[in-house]
Amino acid sequence: AASIRPSSGRTAPPLVSLPPPPSPTMKFAPSSSSPLRAASSSSSLSLLPLLFLSFGGPLPSSFVLPSVEGCTTIAVGRLATIDGSVLSSHSNDGEGTTDPRLVLVPSSVWPSDSTRKIFYSPESYPRYVGYDRASMPIREYEPGRGDNPTVSFEPLCEIPQVRRTYRYMEETYGALNERQLGISESTCSGVFGAAPKGMHHPGYGAGRACLSIDALSQIAMERHSRARDAIGEMGRLAVRYGFYGAGLFEGTAESLMVTDVAEAWVFHILPDPDGSSAIWAARRVPDDSFAVVPNAFIIREIDADDATNYMWSDSAFDVAEKLGWWSPSSGEKLDFTATYSDGEYSHKYYSGRRSWGVYRKFAPSLDLSAEYEEWRISDPYPFAARPDAKLCVEDVAMVMRSYYEDTPYSQAGNSSSKLNLLAGGPWKSPDHVAGDNSTPGIVGNWERTVGLYRTSDSYIAQSRSYLPDAAGGILWYGPYAAPYASYVPFAGGMTSLPRSATSGHHMRLDKTTLFWANRYVGNYARLKWIDTMREVKAFQGRMMGEFLELQSDVDALVVAALHRHRDISDPDYDSVSYERAVADAVDLYSDNAERTVSLTWDLADHLMFKYADGQIHSTPESPLGTHTPPRAYDARGSTVREAEVIDQPGYPNEWLEKVGYGDGPPPPPNCEELEWRCGHADDDNNNNNEPHRTRTQSQSRTQQAQDDETEGGNLRGGGDEEGTINEEMAEEEDGDDDNKGGADDDDNDDDDDEETTMMGEAWREYLAKKREAYEGGRSACKSRGDVAAALLSGGGRKECAAAAPDNNGNDDDDDDDDDDDPVKEDRKFVQDREDGTTDGVSAK
């Protein structure tokens, strides 16, 4: 095939012969030159494995490409924000191995003719180990320090180094530099893939690409203050040295939001067909608008006549033309997404639902649909849109934590759909584990939300043109999942970062770090999500308010220092004093971070205390309290005010119905359900002739008995509605025997009542013996029923252990006359009754 002429002017290797890319079945009519139309008429072939069949080579055991899980990015132009800031946000959604540490790479001065070493980007912890990222050692990357191995990374390749590089903050990607350049990353699918240089992969062979998006973002941070210039250099280097993505199937392409004090841009990039160069395009976000990239390309038609708002590589057009996917003679503009995107990965709506969720929050007046046919061909959402109201950092933070609340797709709280009633548990948590390792053979998907439990960290980069760079650039950093983290501010002018931010990762518990404080909060919040999250959100709101006040104070200090030293021609001008004043001001952000760690642990402790074991403990003394005032009592120890504790708050009825709670074990049976009377009732009040109640009546009585337990009433259960043990004992003590027993009553001499009468007599005899035993202090409390018998007999509760039988079944009384032992008599009486041999009482 003919060669491609990249932007750099060099000649790329010849293209391999490729079939059109595969495409889903579509109900539309693209142009005859469209790759999607070509695909619809071709056989369904898997494109990527065909790209590298000629490469071959073994797979080193050390080579493992990073997992691709996806990220969400948002950019907001300066005229779309309340204060004129340019904003971009990023969530690093990489499961439990991604490296979330925020590291400060210092500015450096390099010797002439030196090279910039490019390293493989694993993205998992540790993301880099060595000494070559700056002209001085970076503590977090030093070999052998902490959990770092002792072996340094070896470079994949080298490129010419510049004389001076800027200081910047990075997590997996470059985030914000000292000149207020901001970058946010989102992995995307692409029709071409590539492996890193010198590495081998089955089906792909020996890699030829030098640069990952991680390395490109770092180089941009080191060298540029303007987004447009950063994109231009990233694109040129990728074309010259080759680009590889985070994955070899899904995630072969990448996208960056690149911002400065004036502009916001969207940058897309993917490998070229032979894996040695790159294809890229960029589009400027209108100043009055916002844009969102949800793991899928969003740049559509490239206007080659508008160099102000578009940038691209020559390869973007040349490759499409060579493969017959686009023709300049068609008169149509090249649709970058339709041509080079491989669509949504994981499932339909994996990307689009997040776009819809952000548009719904920021521009509800657009009334965009949450449904569409297919990402590439449907073009369901605009590249960018004006917000209904101007935005601020708090608005972006809110969206980064969102779960589509109050929509049919909600995954959290009371607005979550009935479909997810069980998935969210009784407390309606949105945190659904993906399930790939535990659900073999079960096909399905959860909704992909913006807020996500598996996020390692997220941030918001803020650039402000009206302030000096040292204070104007702020990175709002939230280690761990955004819904549970506070966005803590750090200034681009800081020359060091606190350990609470630079340490903390999944592989070691470290309670001194922001990451682990937030991770504890997230996991404690799941104890009772719908309740705990009210407290988490309140905490985040309070902290954001304090952070914004701190930001205002630091801004004022820096501006005051600037005014004192603005005229460098003044003989009294002292640059050292100015720099020291600025450094002292921005270092207040370090103190704030350490304080935030402490307060976040207070929140974690509060959630554990308040919601432990399903209880709810009131903490009136503090919103982050860990103390509930105990009960108050009078001089006798009697309670005058209960402790503010809900012991068994229970579960939502809706959830109980779904999980089959009502199908569990029934209440205990009472005597009537067994068709005999226990003698609990007044047998002479015409009860001997009363027919047995129905099951429904019995159940009602059983519930009444359960209610009576808490009031010291019928602790045995069963009995008639008007005949309780209390009434029976009271009647016995009155000595009124005229109408007792039933057998002596001339009006109740029916033979059918004989059994009930005998049971009443047996029960009274049992109570009498128990009364004697308790009055003599010789009975052991063997059951709740025995205690009730003692209390109701008038003897009062005795210390159970005082007359408890020894291991041989004997009591502690010195009386050796076993025949007079009430405890043994009780046992014999009960046993005889169970055997059906007591004084003629039947077994029933």
Side-chain angles (χ1 to χ4, degrees):
S3 63
I4 296 177
R5 180 181 55 79
S7 300
S8 63
R10 77 180 184 92
T11 300
L15 287 169
V16 297
S17 178
L18 294 174
S23 172
T25 303
M26 301 168 204
K27 300 177 181 178
F28 80 121
S31 68
S32 58
S33 60
S34 166
L36 295 180
R37 175 178 285 277
S40 66
S41 61
S42 68
S43 60
S44 179
L45 298 176
S46 179
L47 174 64
L48 288 176
L50 297 176
L51 303 183
F52 303 101
L53 291 178
S54 61
F55 289 160
L59 172 66
S61 59
S62 60
F63 174 46
V64 178
L65 277 175
S67 61
V68 180
E69 302 297 342
C71 309
T72 306
T73 57
I74 300 169
V76 186
R78 60 185 177 86
L79 299 181
T81 61
I82 292 174
D83 64 348
S85 297
V86 178
L87 304 174
S88 69
S89 66
H90 161 72
S91 63
N92 210 0
D93 304 335
E95 289 288 359
T97 60
T98 306
D99 190 343
R101 296 174 297 164
L102 185 66
V103 174
L104 187 72
V105 179
S107 60
S108 299
V109 177
W110 302 93
S112 59
D113 299 327
S114 61
T115 60
R116 204 283 190 190
K117 295 179 174 63
I118 307 297
F119 298 94
Y120 171 64
S121 302
E123 299 193 348
S124 56
Y125 179 88
R127 60 179 175 254
Y128 171 73
V129 177
Y131 295 102
D132 295 313
R133 293 286 308 281
S135 59
M136 64 186 71
I138 301 172
R139 177 184 178 87
E140 291 75 21
Y141 295 152
E142 290 183 21
R145 181 178 291 278
D147 291 319
N148 290 342
T150 58
V151 179
S152 297
F153 282 25
E154 295 183 0
L156 295 178
C157 55
E158 299 180 6
I159 64 174
Q161 181 61 285
V162 296
R163 179 65 175 162
R164 181 186 183 278
T165 53
Y166 293 128
R167 179 180 62 248
Y168 64 98
M169 290 177 277
E170 70 172 13
E171 35 98 89
T172 302
Y173 315 95
L176 180 76
N177 74 5
E178 62 178 295
R179 297 299 306 277
Q180 303 199 58
L181 182 77
I183 286 181
S184 302
E185 179 274 348
S186 182
T187 305
C188 300
S189 69
V191 296
F192 306 132
K197 185 175 182 179
M199 296 185 179
H200 298 257
H201 193 276
Y204 289 82
R208 303 167 65 183
C210 178
L211 293 161
S212 67
I213 201 67
D214 313 48
L216 288 174
S217 69
Q218 294 159 3
I219 293 169
M221 290 280 115
E222 294 165 2
R223 301 183 177 189
H224 296 285
S225 60
R226 298 179 67 227
R228 184 186 300 268
D229 296 339
I231 291 170
E233 181 157 20
M234 287 190 292
R236 287 190 297 272
L237 290 173
V239 169
R240 171 67 179 84
Y241 294 99
F243 171 81
Y244 66 92
L248 289 171
F249 179 62
E250 293 177 346
T252 62
E254 284 284 355
S255 180
L256 297 178
M257 299 293 198
V258 188
T259 57
D260 58 30
V261 296
E263 296 180 347
W265 285 77
V266 177
F267 170 69
H268 295 336
I269 187 169
L270 73 158
D272 75 334
D274 70 0
S276 65
S277 187
I279 301 166
W280 64 271
R283 182 178 175 182
R284 182 181 176 183
V285 178
D287 292 341
D288 62 353
S289 300
F290 68 91
V292 53
V293 173
N295 296 125
F297 288 164
I298 65 169
I299 297 175
R300 289 289 176 171
E301 294 181 341
I302 299 175
D303 188 347
D305 296 324
D306 186 0
T308 300
N309 295 302
Y310 292 88
M311 300 171 69
W312 62 89
S313 64
D314 291 346
S315 56
F317 290 91
D318 293 343
V319 170
E321 184 178 5
K322 292 292 183 182
L323 297 177
W325 295 350
W326 171 84
S327 172
S329 62
S330 67
E332 298 177 348
K333 295 177 180 178
L334 175 68
D335 185 327
F336 192 89
T337 294
T339 303
Y340 292 115
S341 172
D342 201 32
E344 294 174 295
Y345 51 78
S346 293
H347 57 77
K348 186 178 181 180
Y349 305 124
Y350 185 86
S351 298
R353 195 80 84 209
R354 279 177 282 163
S355 288
W356 171 81
V358 176
Y359 280 107
R360 172 183 166 271
K361 288 288 189 179
F362 289 170
S365 62
L366 293 179
D367 195 24
L368 297 172
S369 173
E371 308 286 337
Y372 51 85
E373 186 174 1
E374 198 272 340
W375 178 258
R376 293 167 295 176
I377 64 171
S378 298
D379 192 9
Y381 306 113
F383 168 78
R386 296 185 183 91
D388 287 3
K390 290 194 174 185
L391 305 174
C392 58
V393 170
E394 301 99 295
D395 295 320
V396 177
M398 175 268 297
V399 167
M400 296 301 289
R401 296 170 173 143
S402 62
Y403 297 105
Y404 314 135
E405 297 91 338
D406 302 317
T407 77
Y409 314 103
S410 173
Q411 298 295 293
N414 287 325
S415 64
S416 57
S417 66
K418 292 186 180 296
L419 176 65
N420 290 303
L421 179 62
L422 296 184
W427 313 123
K428 302 180 181 180
S429 167
D431 297 337
H432 309 323
V433 176
D436 290 346
N437 296 324
S438 59
T439 55
I442 299 178
V443 178
N445 294 292
W446 304 114
E447 284 281 353
R448 173 53 158 100
T449 53
V450 180
L452 201 62
Y453 74 94
R454 58 177 168 82
T455 302
S456 66
D457 64 281
S458 63
Y459 62 76
I460 304 167
Q462 181 181 26
S463 302
R464 299 177 291 172
S465 62
Y466 49 87
L467 287 169
D469 289 337
I474 298 293
L475 190 74
W476 299 83
Y477 171 62
Y480 190 57
Y484 308 112
S486 295
Y487 283 104
V488 183
F490 296 98
M494 298 174 70
T495 57
S496 65
L497 294 175
R499 186 184 179 279
S500 59
T502 62
S503 300
H505 54 86
H506 300 83
M507 304 305 162
R508 180 180 294 275
L509 175 63
D510 187 345
K511 292 189 175 182
T512 66
T513 64
L514 284 163
F515 174 83
W516 275 101
N518 290 333
R519 199 178 197 194
Y520 262 75
V521 166
N523 281 271
Y524 283 163
R526 296 183 187 103
L527 290 172
K528 202 169 187 180
W529 196 90
I530 199 168
D531 292 332
T532 57
M533 283 307 294
R534 282 194 286 266
E535 305 204 39
V536 172
K537 290 177 180 178
F539 175 81
Q540 291 170 336
R542 291 194 300 272
M543 297 307 295
M544 179 58 80
E546 294 181 13
F547 296 161
L548 291 170
E549 290 182 9
L550 173 64
Q551 184 185 38
S552 178
D553 293 342
V554 172
D555 292 348
L557 291 172
V558 171
V559 169
L562 178 65
H563 287 168
R564 287 195 302 270
H565 305 282
R566 70 168 57 195
D567 186 2
I568 61 175
S569 64
D570 190 325
D572 296 329
Y573 176 76
D574 184 355
S575 63
V576 175
S577 296
Y578 170 70
E579 292 172 0
R580 184 181 299 114
V582 172
D584 289 344
V586 297
D587 278 349
L588 293 174
Y589 288 121
S590 287
D591 298 335
N592 175 70
E594 298 303 301
R595 175 175 174 271
T596 302
V597 174
S598 177
L599 289 174
T600 305
W601 277 113
D602 289 346
L603 172 63
D605 290 343
H606 168 73
L607 296 178
M608 170 55 77
F609 172 80
K610 183 169 182 177
Y611 297 101
D613 301 322
Q615 299 175 337
I616 301 177
H617 285 252
S618 174
T619 57
E621 299 172 2
S622 168
L624 300 180
T626 55
H627 171 254
T628 297
R631 72 180 182 95
Y633 54 89
D634 60 19
R636 297 171 299 176
S638 178
T639 300
V640 296
R641 190 197 71 241
E642 295 287 353
E644 295 183 27
V645 178
I646 301 176
D647 184 35
Q648 296 181 11
Y651 294 102
N653 289 345
E654 187 180 25
W655 183 80
L656 289 173
E657 292 174 358
K658 289 289 185 180
V659 298
Y661 177 75
D663 299 327
N670 59 29
C671 298
E672 292 176 77
E673 289 178 317
L674 301 176
E675 299 183 353
W676 57 279
R677 296 185 182 278
C678 301
H680 297 178
D682 180 357
D683 295 325
D684 275 8
N685 289 335
N686 296 322
N687 287 332
N688 291 338
N689 292 325
E690 181 182 324
H692 296 306
R693 295 184 185 88
T694 64
R695 178 176 176 84
T696 301
Q697 291 171 315
S698 298
Q699 289 175 332
S700 175
R701 185 61 190 94
T702 301
Q703 181 62 52
Q704 181 62 46
Q706 293 173 344
D707 294 341
D708 289 342
E709 288 182 10
T710 59
E711 301 297 328
N714 180 3
L715 300 182
R716 298 282 295 190
D720 293 338
E721 294 176 351
E722 297 179 356
T724 65
I725 294 178
N726 287 335
E727 294 170 343
E728 180 180 1
M729 294 307 301
E731 291 170 351
E732 284 186 353
E733 292 174 1
D734 286 343
D736 184 3
D737 297 330
D738 292 342
N739 292 311
K740 301 298 181 184
D744 297 332
D745 189 342
D746 293 338
D747 296 330
N748 297 282
D749 56 358
D750 195 294
D751 292 340
D752 293 338
D753 297 329
E754 179 179 356
E755 182 177 306
T756 302
T757 301
M758 295 174 66
M759 289 304 298
E761 293 173 348
W763 176 249
R764 277 188 286 276
E765 182 179 356
Y766 172 74
L767 291 180
K769 289 181 178 292
K770 296 300 288 188
R771 180 169 59 247
E772 294 172 2
Y774 277 96
E775 287 174 349
R778 298 188 299 274
S779 178
C781 302
K782 288 298 183 181
S783 69
R784 187 169 60 182
D786 292 344
V787 174
L791 293 175
L792 295 175
S793 67
R797 183 191 298 268
K798 304 296 183 183
E799 291 297 331
C800 297
D806 60 22
N807 292 334
N808 296 319
N810 300 318
D811 64 359
D812 294 331
D813 196 342
D814 293 335
D815 188 356
D816 293 330
D817 186 2
D818 292 343
D819 294 337
D820 296 331
D821 186 350
V823 175
K824 290 194 174 184
E825 290 180 11
D826 286 347
R827 291 174 179 165
K828 184 177 186 303
F829 176 82
V830 174
Q831 184 61 50
D832 289 344
R833 191 176 72 176
E834 291 176 353
D835 295 340
T837 59
T838 304
D839 299 330
V841 178
S842 70
K844 181 182 292 186

